[in-house]
Amino acid sequence: MGYKVAIVGATGNVGREMLDILAERAFPVSEVVALASQRSIGQEVTFGDKILKTKVLDHYDFSDIDICLMSAGGSVSKEWSPRIGAQGCVVIDNSSAWRYDQDVPLIVPEVNADAVRGFTRKNIIANPNCSTAQLVVALKPLHDAFGIKRVVVSTYQSVSGAGKEGMDELWSQTKGKYVPGQEVAAKKFSKPIAFNVIPQIDVFMEDGFTKEEWKMTVETKKILDPKIKLTATCVRVPVFIGHSEAVNVEFEKPVTADEAREILRRSPGILVVDKREPGGYVTPQEAAGEDATYISRIREDATVENGLAFWCVSDNLRKGAALNAVQIAECLINRGLIKPRAKAA
Ligand SMILES: NC(=O)c1ccc[n+]([C@@H]2O[C@H](COP(=O)([O-])OP(=O)(O)OC[C@H]3O[C@@H](n4cnc5c(N)ncnc54)[C@H](OP(=O)(O)O)[C@@H]3O)[C@@H](O)[C@H]2O)c1
């Protein structure tokens, strides 16, 4: 007996990845329903060896759906997640619409799986921002061992974090650079992204930080520990898939690079690739299409007490979005927190 799963945003970057991951992990489904906007009615998407025809979200009846993986942006989620939840279906949402609601658990299964129980208050569970997800996977075992006081992180985020339009803009601007008369102006991003880096992701806030930077701080506190101080600089780079982060951490207790490396090696969701030689580290090209959060360049930072620096790379569409959402659904099932409704009826 399997679960009836709906994917809202099935034609998008994250939605397609969700379909692949459900099939790859042999998630126990009885049926998968692909939903998107009016624009995509009838569009075909792939689930394992099956082709699904996309249906329209508007007026869809969720009363026999067990799990809804929601990946269609914040405004769609604000309107639809409570309505879907009210029909008894558990919504796992990828947008930022519900992450900061105290009645909605914000979950990265390797870090705070136990908090998933709180989903019953609204029938909604939030997935964190892509840059936060990989960061907290890396920080959790180090926090348990040495106690984190402060984190300074600079991100190098791929254009797929800005959806299909972001990928199209990098592609067309890159081609346009070499074809006279086909230059493409910046539209999705605030400046040209091809052959450039842009130190702004999301809107500016009053204190000069961007919303993406604010999200990393607030989400790390909610998922891992409210006592952790974190400051971020988020940068968009001309990479299609895979977010990278240069991370600097100050701990309560003394730490060596060797100790940190051993702890990270044993920790769930992490692969350490850390040879001190050319190429002895992971880049986004190798992380794309993979599930792990990769850690490289682990070294002590002698400029602060108990300091450590490292490099962290992951596929933002997988651990940063689709994989994490599917892992949350698996958590619900493995802990016996949901049952297929068709069976219950
Ligand atoms: N990309 C990442 O790294 C990442 C990481 C974490 C979270 N997220 C979040 O995941 C969500 C989706 O991101 P994405 O990268 O997959 O974006 P995307 O590639 O632009 O896809 C957006 C999807 O949402 C659908 N959609 C838009 N408006 C809709 C409406 N009114 N009703 C129903 N469906 C609608 C689109 O359908 P049509 O094709 O019909 O327009 C499409 O399937 C966003 O909330 C994003 O913030 C993304």
Side-chain angles (χ1 to χ4, degrees), residues 8-15 36-37 39-40 57 71-74 76 94-95 99 128 130 160-161 163-164 316-317 320-321:
V8 178
T11 53
N13 275 337
V14 174
S37 77
R39 292 178 289 273
S40 303
L57 168 65
S71 187
V76 175
N94 256 292
S95 78
R99 289 178 193 154
C130 38
S160 56
K164 289 179 291 192
N316 53 295
L317 299 177

Side-chain angles (χ1 to χ4, degrees), residues 19-319:
L19 288 162
D20 286 347
I21 290 171
L22 287 172
E24 278 169 24
R25 293 171 78 92
F27 190 90
V29 295
S30 58
E31 189 183 339
V32 176
V33 182
L35 300 168
S37 77
Q38 292 280 356
R39 292 178 289 273
S40 303
I41 192 162
Q43 192 176 316
E44 293 183 346
V45 291
T46 321
F47 169 61
D49 55 7
K50 296 194 181 72
I51 302 284
L52 309 179
K53 283 209 191 294
T54 306
K55 298 176 181 168
V56 179
L57 168 65
D58 296 359
H59 315 300
Y60 191 83
D61 177 7
F62 285 82
S63 58
D64 67 345
I65 303 276
D66 298 299
I67 300 166
C68 172
L69 302 178
M70 172 72 81
S71 187
S75 54
V76 175
S77 177
K78 272 208 176 99
E79 181 185 347
W80 278 92
S81 296
R83 288 201 218 168
I84 298 170
Q87 291 187 60
C89 168
V90 183
V91 179
I92 301 173
D93 181 44
N94 256 292
S95 78
S96 59
W98 302 97
R99 289 178 193 154
Y100 318 112
D101 185 318
Q102 59 184 12
D103 290 331
V104 173
L106 177 63
I107 302 292
V108 174
E110 293 88 341
V111 181
N112 65 338
D114 288 344
V116 82
R117 292 182 177 279
F119 82 94
T120 48
R121 293 194 287 273
K122 284 196 167 148
N123 257 0
I124 303 173
I125 303 169
N127 224 27
N129 190 35
C130 38
S131 44
T132 311
Q134 67 185 70
L135 180 67
V136 293
V137 167
L139 292 181
K140 162 77 174 161
L142 298 174
H143 186 48
D144 288 347
F146 309 110
I148 295 174
K149 283 165 71 176
R150 178 170 183 257
V151 180
V152 181
V153 55
S154 300
T155 70
Y156 305 74
Q157 294 180 226
S158 67
V159 293
S160 56
K164 289 179 291 192
E165 290 173 16
M167 296 181 88
D168 290 347
E169 192 152 310
L170 173 58
W171 178 241
S172 57
Q173 283 181 355
T174 305
K175 281 192 301 180
K177 196 89 176 166
Y178 295 104
V179 185
Q182 288 197 16
E183 296 83 2
V184 176
K187 188 171 161 213
K188 181 75 183 170
F189 302 110
S190 55
K191 300 233 180 188
I193 185 62
F195 308 100
N196 208 1
V197 297
I198 304 174
Q200 180 196 347
I201 300 182
D202 213 330
V203 296
F204 278 94
M205 311 210 28
E206 261 182 23
D207 61 3
F209 282 86
T210 62
K211 189 89 183 276
E212 185 84 354
E213 292 158 355
W214 175 87
K215 286 176 193 168
M216 287 192 81
T217 302
V218 175
E219 293 175 18
T220 300
K221 285 175 182 288
K222 181 166 176 178
I223 299 166
L224 191 50
D225 189 339
K227 291 196 290 298
I228 292 175
K229 293 180 184 169
L230 184 144
T231 183
T233 302
C234 293
V235 180
R236 188 72 73 193
V237 295
V239 167
F240 282 104
I241 294 174
H243 287 357
S244 308
E245 299 177 342
V247 190
N248 188 289
V249 192
E250 283 178 63
F251 295 97
E252 305 274 356
K253 296 183 195 158
V255 54
T256 67
D258 285 343
E259 285 168 335
R261 200 175 290 110
E262 270 322 298
I263 287 168
L264 290 166
R265 267 193 220 290
R266 297 197 301 264
S267 300
I270 293 175
L271 277 178
V272 174
V273 178
D274 191 20
K275 289 189 185 151
R276 292 178 173 177
E277 61 188 37
Y281 39 79
V282 170
T283 61
Q285 281 192 10
E286 294 124 31
E290 301 293 329
D291 288 348
T293 293
Y294 292 92
I295 312 283
S296 308
R297 302 286 326 276
I298 302 166
R299 61 219 189 266
E300 288 146 38
D301 174 9
T303 65
V304 290
E305 207 180 344
N306 308 329
L308 190 81
F310 62 87
W311 176 248
C312 170
V313 186
S314 195
D315 182 328
N316 53 295
L317 299 177
R318 292 179 81 92
K319 186 58 199 169

